[in-house]
Amino acid sequence: MAELNRRQLLGAALGAAGTLAAGSGVAGQIWPLLGREDLVPGRAPQLALQEAAWTRAADRMSFAAVGDTGSGGRQAMAVAHRMAEGYRQAPYGLVTHLGDLCYYGSVEDRFDDVFTRPMRPLIDAGVRFELAIGNHDGALHHSDASLAEIDAELRLLGTPARHYTTSHGPVDFFYLDSSAPGLFGEDSSEQLEWLDDALASSTNQWKVVCMHHPVYSSGSHGSTPGADEVLEPLLARRKVDLVLSGHDHHYERTRPQHGVTYVVSGGGCKTTPVGRSRFTASSASALQYLHVDVVDDRLTGRSVRADGRVLDRFELRAREGR
């Protein structure tokens, strides 16, 4: 029997229950996978939030970061509800989405389920969403099917390109296509040269890089092969402050590595195990999102669980002599 990829397995599990009864070959692959998925329907957040309640200033801004939200299930709704509660308590004007916006089908078909319904309170409040594209099938390499999905995501979210930069108050954000060939393949030089030039041209106080595949991770996928050789030296040389990623479905923050702090925030709808490595400052397998406040030369981050408990807090000070 041919090996099925993750999307095919889930499609079989969700749409062809009769197949399970017909034989044990597919079932033997599906049942272990289903235990890690967010397949139970959930209620969308019903909160009414004050529109555009966040502070606008040249020296301050607040944002949320979350990755791997794309189930549309009960756990995704719980994280989305907590993000809306977080806005109500401390408003933010931006969500940086760290990839894998949609699981279990086409984003064209599921956009309302995986994005509009869970994020409706934030959308209605005028919060901006910016996307670092993901991989969809758990691998570093994009397939033709996942490339088509990514193109649809870019269009549906109004994302300008696979890699791009934005500015909000004192923070410049740099969004990467962290796939192969996007960042780690034979044709990666174009994006790396673009990133080097964009970081060099940045004059803002803070530099935050957003990407799907983690440079450092102690989780199921682990640190991305080649990132330590190809990407990390550039980030250190250009004095990036913070790198945000998803892909592994846990939370993890590193100790500064050559001056750069790396955070995995991939607990947007499901979890996978995580350990600790020499670089780990904090880690947990938890549904969560990241809330970040930037005020002048200080950046404060809080990893917030779906139940509202704070998992981790950290503070960075802006670098001098850029």
Side-chain angles (χ1 to χ4, degrees):
M1 177 178 174
E3 182 179 356
L4 301 179
N5 66 28
R6 178 177 174 277
R7 184 177 294 278
Q8 291 168 330
L9 282 171
L10 292 170
L14 294 171
T19 302
L20 294 176
S24 60
V26 174
Q29 295 184 56
I30 288 176
W31 292 125
L33 182 60
L34 292 183
R36 302 195 298 270
E37 301 300 324
D38 180 25
L39 301 176
V40 178
R43 184 183 178 191
Q46 302 296 313
L47 285 71
L49 303 176
Q50 181 181 351
E51 186 175 354
W54 57 89
T55 300
R56 295 178 176 85
D59 65 345
R60 65 186 58 204
M61 66 92 60
S62 298
F63 68 95
V66 66
D68 305 85
T69 61
S71 68
R74 180 176 60 185
Q75 294 176 170
M77 294 300 182
V79 174
H81 185 275
R82 183 52 52 191
M83 292 175 69
E85 287 282 8
Y87 176 100
R88 185 157 63 180
Q89 297 166 9
Y92 49 87
L94 171 69
V95 173
T96 64
H97 195 289
L98 303 172
D100 280 10
L101 182 71
C102 179
Y103 302 124
Y104 316 150
S106 164
V107 70
E108 294 274 11
D109 298 332
R110 305 207 67 228
F111 189 69
D112 185 60
D113 290 332
V114 301
F115 179 72
T116 307
R117 290 183 63 242
M119 297 301 175
R120 173 57 69 188
L122 297 175
I123 294 169
D124 288 347
V127 173
R128 177 182 175 88
F129 287 80
E130 296 177 348
L131 175 68
I133 61 174
N135 61 276
H136 303 274
D137 282 310
L140 182 62
H141 293 264
H142 287 314
S143 66
D144 289 343
S146 67
L147 288 172
E149 284 290 289
I150 287 167
D151 288 342
E153 285 185 2
L154 298 181
R155 174 172 48 79
L156 289 166
L157 282 180
T159 305
R162 294 173 185 274
H163 57 269
Y164 61 101
T165 183
T166 63
S167 295
H168 301 275
V171 185
D172 284 345
F173 292 86
F174 305 84
Y175 291 88
L176 305 182
D177 171 5
S178 60
S179 70
L183 197 57
F184 300 112
E186 295 179 358
D187 300 325
S188 63
S189 58
E190 178 182 353
Q191 187 177 182
L192 289 169
E193 290 173 5
W194 168 86
L195 178 61
D196 194 16
D197 290 343
L199 290 170
S201 301
S202 172
T203 59
N204 234 335
Q205 190 157 32
W206 294 91
K207 299 179 183 181
V208 176
V209 170
C210 303
M211 55 192 291
H212 184 61
H213 299 87
V215 176
Y216 287 99
S217 172
S218 305
S220 299
H221 294 299
S223 302
T224 300
D228 57 339
E229 299 176 1
V230 173
L231 185 59
E232 186 183 29
L234 190 160
L235 301 175
R237 176 163 50 86
R238 293 303 183 190
K239 297 185 177 180
V240 169
D241 300 286
L242 179 65
V243 177
L244 304 175
S245 63
H247 193 46
D248 267 328
H249 300 159
H250 68 258
Y251 173 80
E252 185 171 13
R253 174 175 58 88
T254 72
R255 299 181 178 87
Q257 303 295 307
H258 306 289
V260 183
T261 297
Y262 296 83
V263 171
V264 177
S265 183
C269 72
K270 48 191 173 180
T271 61
T272 50
V274 61
R276 295 183 66 88
S277 304
R278 58 169 180 78
F279 48 75
T280 306
S282 176
S283 67
S285 179
L287 299 171
Q288 56 77 228
Y289 80 100
L290 187 68
H291 186 117
V292 178
D293 296 307
V294 181
V295 179
D296 196 21
D297 67 344
R298 184 169 300 179
L299 181 152
T300 304
R302 292 180 288 118
S303 175
V304 184
R305 293 179 183 264
D307 63 7
R309 291 180 294 162
V310 175
L311 171 61
D312 180 39
R313 298 178 188 268
F314 63 94
E315 182 177 293
L316 305 179
R317 300 299 294 266
R319 301 203 200 190
E320 297 181 357
R322 288 197 195 274

